[in-house]
Amino acid sequence: DGGITQSPKYLFRKEGQNVTLSCEQNLNHDAMYWYRQDPGQGLRLIYYSQIVNDFQKGDIAEGYSVSREKKESFPLTVTSAQKNPTAFYLCASRNRGGTETQYFGPGTRLLVL
Amino acid sequence: AQSVTQPDIHITVSEGASLELRCNYSYGATPYLFWYVQSPGQGLQLLLKYFSGDTLVQGIKGFEAEFKRSQSSFNLRKPSVHWSDAAEYFCAVGAIGNEKLTFGTGTRLTIIP
């Protein structure tokens, strides 16, 4: 069953702690994306990656880091430098050279203790 | 720069009534246009997309949208809504060769009996 999985569904972060959100896809898609969603603000792009070992900053990259060591995986680390991390985080993937359609995972909600 | 405007933050519709959600875009080239739906606490699901050809596109769950280049609009319609259609709806714009999508801020749909 092809798709995108995100884990965990809920994540709690303590002050000064780094946390990592997982995103895995078995769609054989080349490009992957991380978005942050806050109420009333739609989706804002954090980072994206078009190929393995390469990624670009989106509109709100400060306080976040990513890696793309494998085609199917694109983990997002929320660092202690991100002062307002409470949000819903969505991962998406896209098949390059296709119709630019992005497909989304179920999301991870990050809460600060 | 591309942009998307969804002028209605919240719409309430009676079950069985017709629905139209508005989306206006700004983009210099020929756009790709998308509508996604999001249930609470879930990821985004693709409803339909427009790339070229027939300006009236059909999607899942009985939704359709019409691309009007002269009005820079891509409004979503459904002739008769069901209680299960209550969700948040996002319009997005992209283009061939553009790795990123730009999302509107969303319209929350409430269905009343």
Side-chain angles (χ1 to χ4, degrees):
Chain A
D1 205 14
I4 302 171
T5 57
Q6 291 186 241
S7 61
K9 188 171 178 63
Y10 296 95
L11 187 58
F12 299 91
R13 193 190 92 165
K14 296 179 181 179
E15 293 290 336
Q17 186 181 45
N18 293 354
V19 293
T20 297
L21 285 62
S22 169
C23 177
E24 304 275 333
Q25 54 97 2
N26 61 5
L27 300 168
N28 200 33
H29 285 175
D30 299 298
M32 297 186 73
Y33 303 79
W34 274 106
Y35 292 91
R36 171 177 171 143
Q37 185 177 26
D38 297 280
Q41 296 196 44
L43 277 68
R44 292 184 289 168
L45 183 63
I46 305 173
Y47 269 98
Y48 63 105
S49 168
Q50 301 176 43
I51 56 173
V52 173
N53 293 322
D54 185 49
F55 47 83
Q56 291 78 41
K57 293 181 179 180
D59 302 316
I60 57 164
E62 185 175 351
Y64 300 97
S65 66
V66 294
S67 63
R68 186 86 186 275
E69 297 177 1
K70 298 186 296 183
K71 185 176 183 178
E72 59 270 23
S73 178
F74 190 41
L76 173 74
T77 296
V78 184
T79 75
S80 57
Q82 173 49 246
K83 296 307 179 189
N84 184 24
T86 296
F88 192 54
Y89 291 86
L90 288 160
C91 178
S93 70
R94 179 181 67 86
N95 199 15
R96 295 185 70 200
T99 54
E100 316 300 339
T101 305
Q102 293 185 19
Y103 296 91
F104 285 81
T108 292
R109 184 163 299 280
L110 177 61
L111 300 165
V112 177
L113 295 177
Chain B
Q2 57 199 53
S3 67
V4 177
T5 301
Q6 293 182 246
D8 303 306
I9 296 173
H10 184 205
I11 285 183
T12 299
V13 176
S14 297
E15 191 169 14
S18 64
L19 172 71
E20 182 168 27
L21 302 182
R22 296 183 290 164
C23 173
N24 293 98
Y25 70 91
S26 173
Y27 196 73
T30 300
Y32 289 174
L33 294 157
F34 306 83
W35 275 101
Y36 288 88
V37 60
Q38 183 182 35
S39 297
Q42 304 295 317
L44 274 66
Q45 180 183 20
L46 180 69
L47 280 177
L48 48 78
K49 56 192 176 187
Y50 170 80
F51 299 114
S52 65
D54 193 347
T55 56
L56 183 63
V57 294
Q58 303 296 320
I60 62 171
K61 304 185 181 190
F63 285 93
E64 67 177 26
E66 186 171 12
F67 171 58
K68 293 185 177 180
R69 185 185 300 274
S70 61
Q71 298 178 21
S72 297
S73 70
F74 189 57
N75 293 350
L76 182 71
R77 301 194 294 247
K78 187 170 184 178
S80 176
V81 297
H82 185 262
W83 64 266
S84 60
D85 294 324
E88 188 142 24
Y89 292 79
F90 292 93
C91 181
V93 64
I96 186 168
N98 188 339
E99 299 289 344
K100 298 186 285 186
L101 295 181
T102 298
F103 287 83
T105 51
T107 297
R108 183 161 61 94
L109 176 64
T110 297
I111 308 294
I112 56 176

